[in-house]
Amino acid sequence: MVFGEGRSLSTLMIVGEGPGADEDAQGRPFVGRAGRLLDEVLSATDIDRDDVWVTNIVRCRPVAKRDNNLRNRAPRADEIKACGIWMDQEYRFVSPQLVLCLGVTPAQALISRQFKISEGRGKWHAGRNDVPTTATYHPAYIFRLGVDDRKSVESQMREDLQMVADRLGTIKHAA
Ligand code: URA
């Protein structure tokens, strides 16, 4: 199982889909290729990963077997429900003031079942426990795009992270 990690009582909690192969091997969230892109976008917007809590909506790597290889897949509703107990504990333990979902799966679990990244990204929504919550593209989605689409989606992701950084700044100033 891969649990969340970071600073307890973090202002920002970042929630991904589920561990991939690298995360499964190392027992830590977002340490593979998707994690490196996340780190890059975080540092471009001056968000220090050590200051945030990084976790996933499910704790075990969701896999599908194809041609004798294990491939990542989106977590199913029953898996998300089964892991709900961990998510609830994290909300209690971290007490985030802002939540950023990476990809539609955590956004549908924490904001609304009908959530669509194309319509809801770049805006704040009332998430679980009424915590202001937003969503952007999942970094792994970006790797599946062609060069031109990738540039445009990556720059939208940076804009979304900048919006989070700006709000984080106001909370830190107020604190
Ligand atoms: N993708 C995720 O959604 N979470 C991880 O921890 C790694 C890749």
Side-chain angles (χ1 to χ4, degrees), residues 125-171:
H125 308 266
R128 181 172 295 183
N129 298 354
D130 271 340
V131 178
T133 302
T134 188
T136 191
Y137 300 97
H138 192 288
Y141 166 70
I142 293 177
F143 295 130
R144 294 198 289 272
L145 299 171
V147 182
D148 290 343
D149 286 341
R150 182 178 167 164
K151 267 195 194 149
S152 135
V153 170
E154 210 176 310
S155 85
Q156 290 174 57
M157 189 184 182
R158 279 171 204 265
E159 281 168 23
D160 296 345
L161 268 281
Q162 191 57 56
M163 180 189 83
V164 174
D166 292 345
R167 187 147 179 184
L168 262 180
T170 66
I171 293 174

Side-chain angles (χ1 to χ4, degrees), residues 14-68:
I14 298 179
V15 187
E17 250 186 18
D22 291 314
E23 289 74 21
D24 195 32
Q26 293 184 45
R28 298 181 54 214
F30 282 101
V31 289
R33 195 172 170 219
R36 283 193 290 279
L37 177 56
L38 174 65
D39 288 347
E40 209 183 294
V41 183
L42 286 176
S43 71
T45 48
D46 275 340
I47 299 175
D48 190 344
R49 180 162 167 166
D50 291 338
D51 274 349
V52 306
W53 187 263
V54 180
T55 188
N56 282 299
I57 201 77
V58 298
R59 314 286 129 170
C60 296
R61 182 185 176 202
V63 285
K65 205 169 180 186
R66 207 185 301 158
D67 304 328
N68 262 344

Side-chain angles (χ1 to χ4, degrees), residues 97-99 107 110-112 115-117 119-128 130-135 163 167:
Q97 294 182 56
L98 300 175
V99 173
L110 300 177
I111 301 172
S112 117
F115 192 90
K116 289 194 175 88
I117 295 288
E119 290 168 11
R121 59 160 278 271
K123 298 173 198 161
W124 291 102
H125 308 266
R128 181 172 295 183
D130 271 340
V131 178
T133 302
T134 188
M163 180 189 83
R167 187 147 179 184

Side-chain angles (χ1 to χ4, degrees), residues 65-138:
K65 205 169 180 186
R66 207 185 301 158
D67 304 328
N68 262 344
N69 290 317
L70 292 181
R71 293 178 170 261
N72 296 339
R73 62 164 171 78
R76 294 190 310 258
D78 60 326
E79 294 166 333
I80 294 173
K81 195 169 170 208
C83 284
I85 186 171
W86 302 113
M87 214 58 250
D88 290 344
Q89 293 289 351
E90 277 178 315
Y91 269 84
R92 235 171 272 146
F93 171 69
V94 179
S95 293
Q97 294 182 56
L98 300 175
V99 173
L100 167 66
C101 300
L102 298 178
V104 73
T105 309
Q108 289 185 342
L110 300 177
I111 301 172
S112 117
R113 274 193 205 183
Q114 281 77 37
F115 192 90
K116 289 194 175 88
I117 295 288
S118 55
E119 290 168 11
R121 59 160 278 271
K123 298 173 198 161
W124 291 102
H125 308 266
R128 181 172 295 183
N129 298 354
D130 271 340
V131 178
T133 302
T134 188
T136 191
Y137 300 97
H138 192 288

